[in-house]
């Protein structure tokens, strides 16, 4: 985590908020994607200004989709890192 983190709630795992540190920025134009496999169900939350989640689609994410345990997805680096830190995913 950065010295001055900028934390944004991006979803929940087992009712516990998952927050991403976006102090290094996010970019929808040329994002850095990181692949993870979920080790817990992950309920997405729509975050204003957050780029559409790859493999998931903007409309699905806006409806607070639940991504099931065992699924593999590409996420923006801050989201992937937050999921791993929360114990809800592993890097692939």
């Amino acid at each position: 985590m950065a010295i001055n983190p900028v934390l944004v709630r991006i979803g929940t795992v087992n009712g516990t908020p998952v927050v991403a540190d976006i102090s290094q920025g996010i970019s929808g134009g040329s994002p850095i994607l990181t692949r993870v496999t979920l080790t817990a169900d992950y309920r997405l939350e729509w975050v204003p200004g957050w780029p559409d989640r790859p493999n998931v689609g903007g409309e699905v994410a806006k409806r607070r989709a639940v991504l099931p345990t065992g699924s593999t997805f590409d996420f923006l680096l801050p989201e992937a890192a937050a999921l791993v830190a929360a114990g809800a995913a592993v890097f692939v």
Side-chain angles (χ1 to χ4, degrees):
M1 207 175 266
I3 294 173
N4 294 311
V6 177
L7 303 178
V8 175
R9 181 176 163 152
I10 54 173
T12 59
V13 173
N14 298 322
T16 302
V18 176
V19 294
D21 179 2
I22 60 167
S23 59
Q24 301 301 309
I26 58 174
S27 171
S30 57
I32 298 173
L33 299 178
T34 304
R35 182 164 287 186
V36 297
T37 297
L38 298 173
T39 58
D41 290 348
Y42 174 41
R43 179 175 297 277
L44 299 173
E45 292 185 8
W46 181 69
V47 180
W50 194 270
D52 289 343
R53 271 110 168 189
N55 296 23
V56 179
E59 290 306 310
V60 173
K62 289 178 184 177
R63 292 193 303 266
R64 298 176 182 249
V66 176
L67 306 181
T69 301
S71 300
T72 299
F73 292 97
D74 293 323
F75 289 107
L76 293 173
L77 181 57
E79 187 166 16
L83 287 165
V84 170
V90 294
F91 291 113
V92 177

